[in-house]
Amino acid sequence: MMKGLNKQEQLLSRIATNDGHGENSPYFDGWKAYDSDPFHPTNNQTGVIQMGLAENKLCFDLIQEWVTNHPTASICTPEGANDFRDIAIFQDYHGLKEFRQAVARFMEKVRGDKISFDPDRIVMSGGATGAHESLAFCLADPGDVFLVPTPYYPGFDRDLRWRTGVQLLPVVCESSNDFRLTREALETAFEEAQAANIRVKGLLLNNPSNPLGTVMSRETLLEAVDFINEKNIHLICDEIYAATVFSQPGFISIAEIVSENPKCNLDLIHIVYSLSKDLGFPGFRVGIIYSYNDAVVSCARKMSSFGLVSTQTQHLIASMLSDDIFVEKFLAESSDRLAKRHEIFTRGLSQVGIGSLKSSAGLYCWMDLRRMLKEATFEGEMELWRMIIHEVKLNVSPGSSFHCSEPGWFRVCFANMDDETVKIALRRIRNFVLQSKAGSAKKLCRRRSNLEVSLSFRRLDEIMMGNMMSPHSPMSSPLVQARN
Amino acid sequence: MEHNKKQHQLLSRIATNDGHGENSPYFDGWKAYDSDPYHPTNNPNGVIQMGLAENQLSFDLIQEWVVKNPTASICTAEGVSDFKDIAIFQDYHGLPKFRQAVARFMEKVRGDKVSFDPDRIVMSGGATGAQETLAYCLADPGEAFLVPTPYYPAFDRDLRWRTGVQLLPIVCESSNDFKLTREAMETAYDKAQESNIRVKGLLLNNPSNPLGTVMDRETLQEAANFITEKNIHLVCDEIYAATVFSQPGFISIAEIVQESSMKINPELVHIVYSLSKDLGFPGFRVGILYSYNDSVVNCARKMSSFGLVSTQTQQLIATMLSDEIFVEKFIAESSERLSKRYNYFTRGLSQVGIGSLNSNAGLYFWMDLRRLLKEQTTDGEMELWRVIINEVKLNVSSGSSFHCSEPGWFRVCFANMNDETVRVALRRIRNFVLQDKSAAKKQCRRRSKLEISLSFRRRDDIIMGNVMSPHSPMSSPLVQ
């Protein structure tokens, strides 16, 4: 067996035989549990409810209605088929002009028309996944590093590091100030990199945040901009959840900050975007890089050959997003439905004493179960997590999978299900909490250790482990079940 | 200058080198076309685009099918109820019916002589993405793939740019119709060994771009034996498989694998495919990687996250390609139309004494203009090329852009235009040749012997990456 393995290892590349893809992770237990016993309202009412996938399924009725009323958005309808040939044959990596214009316009609307985007700076990529990888290739050499505040989306480990050889170093954020990014934390991380002789090339922000669901305040954004200008490093802002903001405080884009601050070096500023979360179209692979740096636009555009958006989809999106009236209605309605969902869910949680981080965006909430840990350690978190998966039968994501420095937090997605399923999920949580209270809480009270303030700088090899949940991997879609 | 230096420090090495291949002299052709594009009525004296290997001959069949099959679309009244499920589906295995339809199509294109397992079908960002992904899976930076010349220029970017992998040429010569020989493979391999470069694989393109020829069974078997002996990978780019329009027929590496499972190690064999050429859908970015090696399938699938096919397009393709009656009709009709085009051009050219390599596939032919070179050198070729661009007003591709070892060959695409434009193009070439003949008689006595060009290009020539990206700004009229 070992001999065979070695033979493969010699046959294939190092990249192919390391764990950089991040899928050899303990967090697959949740997916497996869901996969082998998926909830269904009629066929499997006691199955596992999927709450680990940040999908936006709340507004497809609006999309479907629009699509039906706009047959020229398609190259397959009688009204649109005359365009089929020109669209099918078009492979220019600039993309359809109308596509870039519509995306730029949409991004402006999402930001309340406070700034403007130049369609010529819009570059396509294979989803936000491809956008991150391309930016890493453009901005850093193997061994260079990006700083990224924790907790963060686990897919970053693969997207920015796997094939590029670039590293990610955490900037630790803590619950004591609601996980806000601070100047001190940035400096600490930067200095630790310096001390380890690692060259920092940039700072990666995700705003609105996954998994926190919070938006960055103006002050924090200004701090970040100051910091990167001072160190002369890049700033990548992943704004993929920009239109999932459903309440105050509102969203402030990095685009706003740079437009207000002429001293900022624009060559350092890059935005990653996608239609996967705001519109609910992850299957369409519409990734966008927007850079204020001409050389990066040029280079990323050449790299986009590796992940262009299908012109069939460009054509559809161009039509849809240039319908200003529809876009405004959609954004308002989507926001409204997310607000309601968030409200129902968080209220249901608080009724049984479960708090969550106050948030105003995202397709999830950051649930605080620290009280329920047997031990305030990551082992304790994993134990609680397994219980939630196997007994409460909810697939939620444990904070440690997001590199959170404190155990006990869980990301719970709520926008990928219907109202009835939300009720069932809440009921299960409530029952679990009430049972827990009755049963063991009293005994545990005395034994519970102080909340560990976890390490501020994870060992490099832990980071390399890449505790990652790929949104594209086999376990994550019910449609894979259909095959069986 | 100061700003550029600063940029260099700000950006990566990959971002500031020439690995993308677009800083190449061959852009002159694109620029000429771009600034003066032919149009039958608006600009009848403009440059005719013959440098883009596109298949525009059978869109009428596609359009007809599309209108008759509204459930293939998630936007029609009949199909829109699928919109939600398709838009949300992001599993990198792809829609099962997509994989099944593609596998079935690939089988049909190979005359049902082989079978493909849908579970080995992996998506990629076009064949461009498939090549890069395979390089990442099979080789480490600094390691090399061998590739017969002449070859598609963008291999230089796809396999090398971001990966750090090298490409080393196996020189093929006109004396035996550019056929791949065992000796040439051994020579290239030995040279790599001498330079201390580890060879990880052999990259074949069959049918060939730019030659338009198919590999015969003996040559395929030689290649299979070679890679098995050296224990290196075999990557077969079969992107032009359904553009075969006459005998000899196409033999896929899949046939060799199925027949000689004792002699070839299937774990070393990988096929790159796409719908860009056979169907004429380069815009849809349907790249396919098919591997007989489980670990490669596994790894490539994880990497496909960087370039999945839009599920909207997967749905369309799945429906279209599972319509077996349509597929058979399409393949036959497309083949026939390509054959007619090819014959029309090559016959018209031979009437004025212009030969081309005898070929039976592809969207182009390999034109022999060695006679017309003032000097049998690369410079002579470039000079002739500029004359063709600027005076004859045809954007053709010079052989040296394909790393051809002998000057005087040009690739001429013929499937991206209508019949009238074909006539105009042919007329222009004939006129040019006839004019040149009268001038040539005077030069006859001065002309030097054919130089047998270098058999192994200097490494920095290769690194220059004379690449014509099909996706770059110049290549589409729609950018106008």
Side-chain angles (χ1 to χ4, degrees):
Chain A
M1 175 80 103
M2 273 309 279
K3 195 173 174 195
L5 271 176
N6 282 338
K7 217 176 155 198
Q8 273 292 18
E9 267 161 32
Q10 288 161 10
L11 260 188
L12 306 186
S13 66
R14 285 192 288 267
I15 283 175
T17 46
N18 70 22
D19 273 336
H21 49 73
E23 291 189 29
N24 289 345
S25 133
Y27 303 107
F28 262 103
D29 287 358
W31 301 107
K32 287 176 195 154
Y34 171 78
D35 240 39
S36 53
D37 184 22
F39 171 81
H40 188 276
T42 44
N43 301 345
N44 189 13
Q45 292 160 344
T46 53
V48 176
I49 298 178
Q50 175 63 279
M51 305 193 83
L53 205 45
E55 287 176 338
N56 186 353
K57 288 182 173 177
L58 301 188
C59 292
F60 276 115
D61 55 326
L62 302 177
I63 301 283
Q64 196 164 313
E65 186 190 1
W66 186 92
V67 161
T68 306
N69 292 336
H70 294 82
T72 53
S74 166
I75 51 174
C76 295
T77 54
E79 297 87 339
N82 282 337
D83 286 338
F84 194 102
R85 186 189 69 165
D86 288 342
I87 294 294
I89 209 87
F90 183 79
Q91 55 175 329
D92 181 343
Y93 58 32
H94 285 79
L96 294 169
K97 195 158 166 209
E98 56 268 29
F99 169 76
R100 279 182 288 113
Q101 285 164 347
V103 168
R105 191 78 199 93
F106 180 72
M107 287 172 70
E108 288 168 358
K109 279 219 166 57
V110 167
R111 287 152 184 75
D113 274 309
K114 286 182 225 153
I115 35 79
S116 69
F117 287 110
D118 177 359
D120 290 339
R121 293 188 174 283
I122 299 270
V123 175
M124 295 180 284
S125 60
T129 299
H132 280 291
E133 190 192 47
S134 281
L135 277 175
F137 272 124
C138 287
L139 307 178
D141 292 323
D144 288 344
V145 92
F146 283 93
L147 304 180
V148 53
T150 65
Y152 66 85
Y153 165 58
F156 283 161
D157 288 325
R158 171 201 57 195
D159 300 348
L160 283 117
R161 301 183 324 163
W162 187 21
R163 307 192 302 183
T164 62
V166 167
Q167 305 188 53
L168 284 185
L169 292 183
V171 177
V172 179
C173 301
E174 295 168 343
S175 61
S176 51
N177 72 335
D178 293 333
F179 297 96
R180 264 196 285 271
L181 179 64
T182 64
R183 181 69 184 229
E184 300 85 84
L186 285 167
E187 294 283 2
T188 299
F190 190 85
E191 278 155 31
E192 305 217 37
Q194 303 276 71
N197 236 338
I198 300 172
R199 187 167 79 157
V200 178
K201 282 314 281 289
L203 169 64
L204 168 59
L205 301 179
N206 188 200
N207 177 36
S209 162
N210 173 16
L212 303 174
T214 51
V215 296
M216 289 176 74
S217 67
R218 186 173 298 272
E219 294 67 42
T220 310
L221 282 164
L222 285 168
E223 282 273 33
V225 166
D226 264 347
F227 178 77
I228 60 112
N229 272 281
E230 202 179 285
K231 312 291 189 203
N232 197 33
I233 62 176
H234 293 279
L235 181 60
I236 300 176
C237 288
D238 185 338
E239 300 192 341
I240 197 176
Y241 289 99
T244 67
V245 177
F246 50 77
S247 68
Q248 288 304 314
F251 173 59
I252 303 171
S253 165
I254 193 66
E256 232 185 287
I257 303 294
V258 303
S259 73
E260 292 165 5
N261 289 273
K263 278 189 287 180
C264 177
N265 179 0
L266 288 177
D267 278 344
L268 300 173
I269 310 292
H270 324 279
I271 299 175
V272 167
Y273 188 57
S274 153
L275 301 183
S276 299
K277 309 296 179 181
D278 288 350
L279 286 176
F281 295 166
F284 292 171
R285 314 316 300 145
V286 184
I288 300 291
I289 293 175
Y290 187 95
S291 177
Y292 292 89
N293 180 319
D294 291 348
V296 173
V297 169
S298 181
C299 183
R301 185 164 282 136
K302 291 177 172 69
M303 287 185 179
S304 67
S305 294
F306 298 109
L308 294 167
V309 177
S310 168
T311 46
Q312 177 187 21
T313 300
Q314 288 186 46
H315 188 253
L316 169 66
I317 296 304
S319 298
M320 190 183 288
L321 299 189
S322 29
D323 184 340
D324 283 1
I325 296 174
F326 167 74
V327 164
E328 277 167 33
K329 172 178 153 190
F330 179 92
L331 290 175
E333 186 63 33
S334 174
S335 187
D336 207 51
R337 295 181 190 186
L338 280 168
K340 287 198 170 74
R341 217 12 111 74
H342 176 265
E343 168 71 16
I344 288 173
F345 200 73
T346 49
R347 198 185 317 133
L349 289 179
S350 67
Q351 278 168 2
V352 289
I354 303 246
S356 53
L357 187 67
K358 185 161 193 296
S359 61
S360 59
L363 309 173
Y364 36 75
C365 71
W366 189 236
M367 187 167 66
D368 182 357
L369 297 185
R370 287 176 292 176
R371 282 192 310 108
M372 303 188 64
L373 296 182
K374 288 214 178 89
E375 288 172 21
T377 62
F378 290 108
E379 286 73 37
E381 178 182 283
M382 290 300 269
E383 197 190 321
L384 176 59
W385 179 59
R386 279 189 207 99
M387 207 184 309
I388 297 174
I389 304 267
H390 298 296
E391 293 175 30
V392 192
K393 304 198 112 186
L394 300 175
N395 182 29
V396 299
S397 310
S400 52
S401 67
F402 295 89
H403 302 283
C404 187
S405 59
E406 306 170 28
W409 295 88
F410 291 79
R411 189 194 73 171
V412 188
C413 299
F414 53 63
N416 61 322
M417 57 187 68
D418 60 30
D419 292 330
E420 191 50 47
T421 312
V422 174
K423 291 200 189 99
I424 296 173
L426 275 174
R427 202 179 308 142
R428 291 185 187 180
I429 296 176
R430 289 162 63 99
N431 291 344
F432 172 66
V433 173
L434 296 170
Q435 280 169 19
S436 276
K437 274 187 173 165
S440 45
K442 285 187 179 157
K443 292 181 194 166
L444 287 176
C445 228
R446 285 170 244 127
R447 287 208 310 266
R448 189 162 59 207
S449 50
N450 277 333
L451 187 66
E452 265 180 33
V453 180
S454 206
L455 46 134
S456 61
F457 189 78
R458 277 243 176 123
R459 280 185 341 255
L460 263 168
D461 48 7
E462 262 185 24
I463 292 154
M464 292 312 160
M465 260 294 282
N467 299 323
M468 213 243 349
M469 197 63 57
S470 168
H472 306 143
S473 60
M475 308 289 179
S476 54
S477 175
L479 267 149
V480 177
Q481 301 302 309
R483 174 163 51 120
N484 308 324
Chain B
M1 206 40 134
E2 181 59 41
H3 179 76
N4 279 343
K5 198 177 169 196
K6 239 180 140 185
Q7 278 289 24
H8 268 255
Q9 290 160 2
L10 259 190
L11 306 188
S12 66
R13 284 190 290 267
I14 283 175
T16 47
N17 69 21
D18 272 336
H20 49 73
E22 291 189 29
N23 290 345
S24 132
Y26 303 105
F27 261 105
D28 287 359
W30 301 107
K31 288 176 195 154
Y33 170 78
D34 240 39
S35 53
D36 184 22
Y38 170 83
H39 187 275
T41 44
N42 301 348
N43 190 15
N45 294 321
V47 176
I48 298 179
Q49 176 63 279
M50 305 192 85
L52 205 44
E54 286 177 344
N55 186 352
Q56 295 199 34
L57 300 189
S58 300
F59 274 112
D60 54 326
L61 303 177
I62 302 283
Q63 196 164 317
E64 184 191 0
W65 184 93
V66 156
V67 172
K68 289 205 181 108
N69 292 274
T71 53
S73 165
I74 52 173
C75 295
T76 55
E78 296 85 340
V80 76
S81 52
D82 285 338
F83 194 102
K84 173 180 79 162
D85 288 339
I86 294 294
I88 209 85
F89 183 79
Q90 56 175 327
D91 181 345
Y92 58 31
H93 286 79
L95 295 169
K97 57 183 172 172
F98 169 77
R99 279 183 287 110
Q100 283 154 7
V102 169
R104 192 74 200 95
F105 180 71
M106 288 172 70
E107 288 168 355
K108 278 219 163 55
V109 166
R110 290 153 183 73
D112 274 310
K113 286 183 230 152
V114 296
S115 70
F116 287 111
D117 177 359
D119 289 340
R120 293 188 175 285
I121 299 270
V122 175
M123 295 180 284
S124 59
T128 300
Q131 295 288 1
E132 188 190 50
T133 291
L134 275 174
Y136 270 122
C137 289
L138 308 178
D140 291 326
E143 296 179 340
F145 282 89
L146 305 179
V147 53
T149 64
Y151 65 86
Y152 167 59
F155 280 160
D156 289 326
R157 172 201 59 194
D158 299 348
L159 283 116
R160 301 182 324 163
W161 186 20
R162 308 191 303 183
T163 63
V165 167
Q166 304 191 53
L167 279 187
L168 301 176
I170 299 172
V171 180
C172 300
E173 295 168 343
S174 61
S175 50
N176 72 335
D177 291 334
F178 297 97
K179 270 201 273 274
L180 178 64
T181 64
R182 179 72 185 222
E183 301 88 272
M185 285 191 278
E186 293 284 6
T187 299
Y189 188 88
D190 291 341
K191 283 201 140 96
Q193 302 276 75
E194 280 160 33
S195 307
N196 243 335
I197 299 172
R198 186 160 155 210
V199 176
K200 282 311 282 287
L202 169 64
L203 169 60
L204 300 179
N205 188 200
N206 177 35
S208 160
N209 174 15
L211 302 174
T213 51
V214 296
M215 289 176 74
D216 59 36
R217 191 172 293 274
E218 293 67 44
T219 311
L220 280 166
Q221 193 60 64
E222 280 272 34
N225 293 343
F226 177 77
I227 62 110
T228 304
E229 214 176 277
K230 310 288 190 209
N231 197 35
I232 62 176
H233 293 278
L234 180 58
V235 176
C236 288
D237 186 339
E238 301 192 341
I239 199 177
Y240 289 98
T243 66
V244 177
F245 51 77
S246 68
Q247 289 303 314
F250 172 59
I251 304 169
S252 164
I253 194 66
E255 251 186 86
I256 304 296
V257 169
Q258 267 181 211
E259 285 167 17
S260 55
S261 45
M262 302 305 281
K263 290 190 212 156
I264 188 174
N265 178 3
E267 300 230 301
L268 298 172
V269 183
H270 324 278
I271 298 175
V272 167
Y273 188 57
S274 154
L275 301 183
S276 300
K277 310 297 178 182
D278 288 351
L279 286 176
F281 295 167
F284 293 171
R285 315 314 303 144
V286 184
I288 301 291
L289 202 158
Y290 187 96
S291 177
Y292 293 91
N293 181 317
D294 290 349
S295 302
V296 174
V297 169
N298 210 292
C299 182
R301 185 164 283 136
K302 290 176 171 69
M303 290 185 178
S304 68
S305 294
F306 298 109
L308 294 168
V309 177
S310 168
T311 46
Q312 177 187 22
T313 300
Q314 287 186 46
Q315 169 91 328
L316 169 66
I317 296 305
T319 314
M320 189 184 289
L321 299 189
S322 22
D323 183 341
E324 308 217 341
I325 297 175
F326 168 74
V327 163
E328 276 168 32
K329 171 178 153 192
F330 181 90
I331 293 175
E333 183 64 33
S334 171
S335 187
E336 169 124 349
R337 295 180 188 185
L338 283 168
S339 175
K340 284 199 170 82
R341 263 303 157 86
Y342 172 83
N343 287 331
Y344 179 79
F345 252 113
T346 49
R347 210 175 296 136
L349 288 180
S350 68
Q351 279 166 4
V352 292
I354 301 272
S356 54
L357 186 68
N358 196 10
S359 64
N360 64 318
L363 310 173
Y364 38 76
F365 58 89
W366 191 234
M367 185 167 66
D368 182 358
L369 296 185
R370 289 176 291 175
R371 279 195 310 108
L372 300 185
L373 295 183
K374 289 212 176 90
E375 288 170 24
Q376 298 299 324
T377 61
T378 307
D379 289 334
E381 179 184 282
M382 289 298 271
E383 197 191 320
L384 176 58
W385 180 60
R386 281 192 205 97
V387 167
I388 298 174
I389 303 262
N390 298 318
E391 294 175 27
V392 191
K393 305 199 111 186
L394 301 175
N395 182 28
V396 299
S397 308
S398 61
S400 52
S401 68
F402 295 89
H403 301 284
C404 187
S405 60
E406 305 170 26
W409 295 88
F410 291 81
R411 188 193 76 171
V412 184
C413 298
F414 56 64
N416 62 319
M417 57 187 68
N418 61 23
D419 290 333
E420 186 49 46
T421 312
V422 171
R423 282 193 274 274
V424 174
L426 189 56
R427 202 179 310 140
R428 289 185 187 180
I429 300 178
R430 289 164 61 102
N431 290 347
F432 170 68
V433 173
L434 295 168
Q435 280 169 20
D436 196 87
K437 266 187 175 164
S438 46
K441 276 186 182 160
K442 293 183 194 164
Q443 285 183 358
C444 223
R445 287 166 242 129
R446 292 205 309 265
R447 189 161 61 207
S448 52
K449 280 205 173 131
L450 183 69
E451 265 181 33
I452 304 289
S453 203
L454 46 132
S455 62
F456 189 79
R457 278 248 175 115
R458 280 188 338 259
R459 197 174 307 159
D460 45 10
D461 265 5
I462 292 153
I463 303 303
M464 261 295 281
N466 300 323
V467 156
M468 199 61 57
S469 170
H471 306 140
S472 60
M474 309 288 178
S475 54
S476 174
L478 268 150
V479 177
Q480 308 301 313

